[in-house]
Amino acid sequence: MSFKTLSIFQLVSKPTAPKNFASSRRGAFSVHHKAQTIKGIRSLKAEANKNFAKEVGELQVSENQLVVERYVASNRFRVKPGKEAAFEKRWAERKSRLAELEGFKFFTLLRRVSSDEGEPLQLGPGEPNYASLTVWADKDNFTSWRAGEAFKEAHGGGTLWGFVSMLVSSSQTLEGTPSPAFYHGLLPLQGEQAGSSAPVVGGWRQVIADGVNPITPDCFVAMNRFSVTQGNEAAFETRWASRESKLNEMPGFLYFLILRRDAVKADDGFNYVSFSAWKDRASFEKWRDSQNFQSAHGQKEGLGKMPSTNSPNKPKGPPSGGIMTGPPSVAFYVGKLTLQCEAGL
């Protein structure tokens, strides 16, 4: 077993010496254990910070591309089978005042679901089954939160032992470490206000979670993921900006954004994502079967109708025009613990 594995489970346990040890031996043992503990904490904390912030600000945008209107931070998780409810409980009970922070717009905890309702979800090795997604007014608001007390409170309380406790909890529910992804938010469009029966107190949703049963979803989210070829980013964005869409006229529509990955090279191969949130799956499917969908996703747009598939494979083969390396890949989610600022998105 590696030192890192040992440190995760040993850091929060207090050392105990055999009953017959001399006090000096006990003291030496305690000091050594404490030193090793602090060393392990610092190593894990440095790794977590590096993983979280390594992508921010790396993308260079040309003057022909769309202006950034929102900033989006996401963390992707691979939750162990059978630990989904426990993972959601941890999120529900975390200390957070997110909705009270300057520049906050929208949050949801996403759980991946099958494209075909009722069918089992099929994911490839390492494919995340959960993701957190937070929308900010701009990158400065995100950066302020990342460096402020609110971030510390939500990630272990700002203390070393709080951070370690969070790591221990994560190790019990997750396969591997969370994987961050950051995006420029383009072309935001708001529909109905996201609704929920659970109140918001102190900037966070007050949801009862027992760790056994999953939390009831607040919304349904459809993502279309694109791999746009280098040099065609502006053309791809222009197509979206010029298309005719009546999403905000559809019953159950909540929110839409085009997400442009804020990284030189996206680790999953998708540098653009269309994000749409709906009251429920039925509202989304009603739109998908409508004339509005056909008009907005016609062949003249070069985007095509979204396929119904669970395949996590990256796009292959050039589509018409060569703007993308292959057809888009669809991902469906249910959103939980959803928060939305009162002033709108």
Side-chain angles (χ1 to χ4, degrees):
M1 184 179 291
S2 67
F3 168 75
K4 182 178 290 187
T5 303
L6 285 171
S7 67
I8 290 176
F9 291 98
Q10 292 179 343
L11 289 176
V12 293
S13 62
K14 294 182 179 180
T16 56
K19 293 182 179 179
N20 295 330
F21 265 34
S23 60
S24 60
R25 292 291 299 275
R26 290 197 301 268
F29 179 83
S30 178
V31 169
H32 174 73
H33 183 89
K34 184 176 181 180
Q36 291 296 100
T37 295
I38 293 175
K39 182 179 179 181
I41 291 171
R42 288 173 176 170
S43 176
L44 291 169
K45 192 170 184 178
E47 182 178 352
N49 286 335
K50 180 180 179 181
N51 289 341
F52 192 87
K54 65 182 180 180
E55 289 191 334
V56 180
E58 291 186 352
L59 182 67
Q60 298 297 316
V61 179
S62 72
E63 61 181 12
N64 295 324
Q65 292 182 249
L66 296 179
V67 174
V68 181
E69 297 185 69
R70 300 287 185 270
Y71 199 77
V72 180
S74 177
N75 231 358
R76 298 159 293 174
F77 308 90
R78 181 73 178 188
V79 177
K80 295 178 180 179
K83 297 295 184 179
E84 295 86 355
F87 177 75
E88 294 177 10
K89 181 177 187 290
R90 179 178 153 223
W91 275 88
E93 295 180 347
R94 72 188 309 193
K95 294 181 179 180
S96 178
R97 45 192 172 94
L98 189 61
E100 297 180 347
L101 301 179
E102 183 178 357
F104 168 77
K105 292 293 184 180
F106 181 86
F107 169 85
T108 189
L109 178 65
L110 300 169
R111 178 174 67 85
R112 186 80 177 266
V113 296
S114 173
S115 298
D116 300 311
E117 189 171 14
E119 294 295 322
L121 178 64
Q122 299 177 2
L123 295 174
E127 181 85 356
N129 52 358
Y130 276 84
S132 63
L133 185 139
T134 310
V135 180
W136 298 90
D138 55 43
K139 186 177 177 180
D140 288 341
N141 295 136
F142 163 74
T143 302
S144 296
W145 167 76
R146 177 75 176 87
E149 292 300 317
F151 178 88
K152 295 178 182 178
E153 292 169 3
H155 294 78
T159 67
L160 289 177
W161 291 108
F163 180 77
V164 170
S165 178
M166 181 188 71
L167 289 176
V168 171
S169 177
S170 296
S171 70
Q172 295 170 346
T173 58
L174 299 181
E175 296 178 355
T177 57
S179 177
F182 304 99
Y183 302 89
H184 298 158
L186 314 174
L187 305 173
L189 184 64
Q190 181 176 343
E192 301 174 8
Q193 187 81 1
S196 173
S197 58
V200 177
V201 179
W204 190 244
R205 291 281 305 282
Q206 301 301 299
V207 175
I208 297 176
D210 58 14
V212 177
N213 302 294
I215 297 173
T216 302
D218 305 310
C219 63
F220 180 81
V221 171
M223 293 191 188
N224 225 358
R225 304 172 296 179
F226 306 89
S227 183
V228 177
T229 56
Q230 186 174 2
N232 284 304
E233 297 88 352
F236 178 81
E237 295 174 15
T238 298
R239 287 193 176 191
W240 279 96
S242 61
R243 70 193 302 211
E244 294 183 5
S245 176
K246 298 182 179 179
L247 272 177
N248 55 352
E249 297 179 4
M250 296 299 298
F253 168 71
L254 303 179
Y255 190 34
F256 173 85
L257 265 180
I258 288 292
L259 306 179
R260 179 174 62 202
R261 190 72 176 269
D262 186 17
V264 173
K265 184 177 182 180
D267 57 4
D268 57 4
F270 302 111
N271 52 353
Y272 284 87
V273 179
S274 65
F275 169 94
S276 64
W278 300 81
K279 178 182 178 181
D280 48 35
R281 184 190 282 263
S283 298
F284 165 76
E285 291 180 345
K286 185 176 180 180
W287 167 73
R288 187 176 59 180
D289 296 334
S290 70
Q291 183 59 44
N292 284 342
F293 177 90
Q294 301 299 329
S295 298
H297 294 77
Q299 292 303 314
K300 66 177 182 178
E301 296 289 347
L303 299 175
K305 186 173 181 178
M306 290 189 293
S308 177
T309 178
N310 273 327
S311 174
N313 296 331
K314 298 177 182 179
K316 297 179 181 179
S320 176
I323 289 181
M324 297 179 291
T325 61
S329 175
V330 178
F332 291 151
Y333 304 83
V334 289
K336 307 187 178 192
L337 300 172
T338 304
L339 282 169
Q340 186 172 321
C341 71
E342 295 182 358
L345 302 171

